[in-house]
Amino acid sequence: MNDPIPFDRLNFFLEHLELDPDSPDGLGAHRAAFQQAGGEFGRHFCQYFLAIERTRLILEQGDNLAQLEKILAQWFHGLFSQNFSQEFLAYLWNSGARHVQLSLDQRFVNMGYAVTRDFCHGVIEKSVPSAEQEQVAKVVDRMLDFCILVATDSFITMTSRCDRSMIEGIAHQVRNPITVIGGNIRRLQKQAEPGSPAQQSYDMVLKENQRLERMVGDIAAYTGLFQDEPLSEPCDLAVLLEEARSWVAARGLLDGVELTMELDPAHSVALGDREELVLLLRYLLENAAEAVEASEPLVRVSSGPGSTPGFMEVAIHNTGRPPSQEDMEQLLSPFHSSKPMGTGLGLPISALAARRNLGALSLRPGPRGGAVCLVELPAPPEN
Ligand code: HEM
């Protein structure tokens, strides 16, 4: 409940709906008619939702009904008197959090806004001179559209936070047993006769345990991507690639692999979040190196113009088995892996990072065998 409120985003919505809190909004003296209707609105709203089985059950719990009638009367009054102050924005956003806590289906909240809109149009018909009705209705509709945006933003943020903390919790709980199992297997392995069936079994358990260990790391990388909004800054591809390369090399994944970089100087800067782009390239390099042909272990990275103006392309080629139709179709599906020890999260993480940075990722057979992974990313405007 103490999560930060994304005021920047909420103010951005306000600005785009032309609801500047500091300028006259066209409601003028008519605000009073709405403020006076607060109590009636609270009662009307609750009566409406008492007639729906699912929401009636929520309203009949404890003193929800009496509370909500009061809350909605105040909310309605505040909407027409507080001029979208930061305080009112916080109140609105927190109501979304409260609804998630109550497991209230967001569709009912949206229905609530339809009820509110109807009610407001009734107030306008009754209290606003006909010559001004259209203008007042236009402003009120925009105000309600803004409230729906805030409620939806809050709902999405809260629910994805819940999902993420559940996944992070599971990954955290799994990490300890993995470490204990790994330690014990290594000890047993040392005691076993070399080449004995017992040692072969320990080897297998250890490998599977390492796969789990990687999966926990990959899950952390996946959920970490949702932590902050991506920045959009010019990033030098050579620098990003060097960072990604050294991460992959430090894990021994480039041992024996020949890696070449052929960056086009005219297409060597991408616009995006530096950390997310490094993660994207890290997983692509790792994936390309792991799937490389053992007798000809080559990975080549090149860059060039994107398929649409304003974009650039990074291509990662490798030798080895070309991707199957299924590999290409399942690119974004977590846990689909063509490698025996793969976690199936590498490409979905890269694809997610590409999408978050307004880019795209695709996989196709290489022109001379192997596979090529193409990443399109926004490029800075040309001078
Ligand atoms: C226009 C749509 C809606 C608005 C603007 C709205 C607004 C609010 C606000 C401002 C709060 C207080 C939050 C807080 O204390 O932090 C609240 C709480 C609540 N809302 Fe809504 N709400 C809407 C739709 C609904 C609907 C459709 C239901 C369904 C029955 C509902 C049920 C509740 C309940 C049960 C509470 C908690 C009351 C309490 O704390 O005792 N709301 N709502």
Side-chain angles (χ1 to χ4, degrees):
M1 273 297 168
N2 294 324
D3 289 309
I5 297 169
F7 282 113
D8 283 355
R9 209 157 56 222
L10 305 190
N11 286 322
F12 167 87
F13 295 150
L14 267 183
E15 201 181 299
H16 279 261
L17 287 170
E18 295 173 23
L19 289 168
D20 182 353
D22 297 324
S23 34
D25 54 17
L27 288 187
H30 302 306
R31 283 174 177 277
F34 291 97
Q35 288 164 11
Q36 280 154 19
E40 190 192 337
F41 170 74
R43 285 188 295 279
H44 171 73
F45 190 97
C46 288
Q47 286 309 313
Y48 185 91
F49 283 102
L50 271 176
I52 297 172
E53 172 74 6
R54 179 90 186 100
T55 44
R56 183 175 59 78
L57 291 172
I58 297 178
L59 291 177
E60 284 180 352
Q61 275 169 30
D63 61 351
N64 273 352
L65 181 59
Q67 283 298 335
L68 189 64
E69 207 176 294
K70 252 191 265 162
I71 286 172
L72 282 165
Q74 275 165 9
W75 170 77
F76 194 80
H77 188 275
L79 180 64
F80 291 100
S81 49
Q82 295 207 13
N83 224 3
F84 293 120
S85 62
Q86 300 294 291
E87 194 191 343
F88 188 72
L89 295 190
Y91 177 56
L92 201 52
W93 206 83
N94 282 331
S95 73
R98 180 80 178 103
H99 290 148
V100 170
Q101 209 181 40
L102 287 162
S103 304
L104 176 65
D105 189 320
Q106 181 63 18
R107 281 164 282 211
F108 287 126
V109 176
N110 290 358
M111 232 164 128
Y113 279 105
V115 173
T116 312
R117 202 180 296 265
D118 257 6
F119 183 88
C120 289
H121 285 214
V123 173
I124 294 170
E125 239 167 69
K126 213 167 82 187
S127 318
V128 177
S130 9
E132 291 173 67
Q133 282 184 0
E134 199 183 319
Q135 162 62 19
V136 172
K138 221 167 121 182
V139 176
V140 170
D141 284 349
R142 249 187 287 141
M143 288 166 71
L144 293 176
D145 286 342
F146 171 71
C147 293
I148 298 174
L149 267 175
V150 176
T152 310
D153 191 292
S154 172
F155 173 77
I156 294 173
T157 309
M158 289 298 156
T159 45
S160 66
R161 251 179 223 163
C162 292
D163 294 346
R164 242 179 35 223
S165 51
M166 170 70 96
I167 298 171
E168 281 164 3
I170 294 172
H172 182 73
Q173 294 301 321
V174 169
R175 192 172 282 127
N176 280 346
I178 291 175
T179 313
V180 174
I181 293 169
N184 280 293
I185 292 293
R186 277 193 195 88
R187 195 168 45 76
L188 289 169
Q189 215 181 15
K190 278 190 202 138
Q191 293 163 5
E193 278 292 308
S196 65
Q199 199 188 40
Q200 284 167 15
S201 301
Y202 294 146
D203 279 353
M204 194 191 60
V205 175
L206 197 61
K207 269 203 190 112
E208 289 296 338
N209 199 57
Q210 281 162 346
R211 185 151 76 107
L212 274 178
E213 218 167 5
R214 276 180 71 179
M215 197 169 286
V216 167
D218 290 353
I219 290 171
Y222 191 85
T223 53
L225 271 176
F226 294 96
Q227 217 68 265
D228 295 305
E229 288 291 309
L231 301 172
S232 177
E233 53 193 1
C235 301
D236 186 336
L237 196 56
V239 176
L240 301 179
L241 278 165
E242 178 46 31
E243 216 173 299
R245 188 206 62 78
S246 58
W247 194 93
V248 180
R251 277 147 192 84
L253 298 169
L254 285 175
D255 292 352
V257 175
E258 189 184 327
L259 174 66
T260 53
M261 310 259 186
E262 291 164 21
L263 303 186
D264 174 352
H267 300 97
S268 61
V269 178
L271 266 190
D273 185 288
R274 216 185 65 80
E275 277 184 35
E276 295 193 6
L277 297 187
V278 170
L279 191 77
L280 182 163
L281 295 169
R282 203 181 93 184
Y283 276 105
L284 291 188
L285 280 183
E286 182 181 311
N287 205 62
E290 278 187 330
V292 89
E293 172 65 53
S295 60
E296 197 196 7
L298 303 176
V299 173
R300 185 166 62 88
V301 183
S302 59
S303 73
S307 58
T308 29
F311 281 77
M312 52 101 66
E313 183 184 272
V314 187
I316 302 192
H317 313 247
N318 72 349
T319 50
R321 185 177 71 80
S324 65
Q325 191 59 34
E326 196 195 347
D327 292 338
M328 292 188 277
E329 282 165 11
Q330 300 286 321
L331 180 65
L332 305 181
S333 311
F335 310 116
H336 168 82
S337 178
S338 54
K339 291 169 288 173
M341 281 299 155
T343 63
L345 282 170
L347 287 177
I349 291 174
S350 292
L352 175 65
R355 270 185 287 137
R356 280 173 55 85
N357 287 276
L358 309 178
L361 188 137
S362 60
L363 186 66
R364 62 180 68 158
R368 290 183 294 279
V372 51
C373 195
L374 294 172
V375 190
E376 292 249 349
L377 289 170
E382 284 167 35
N383 293 323

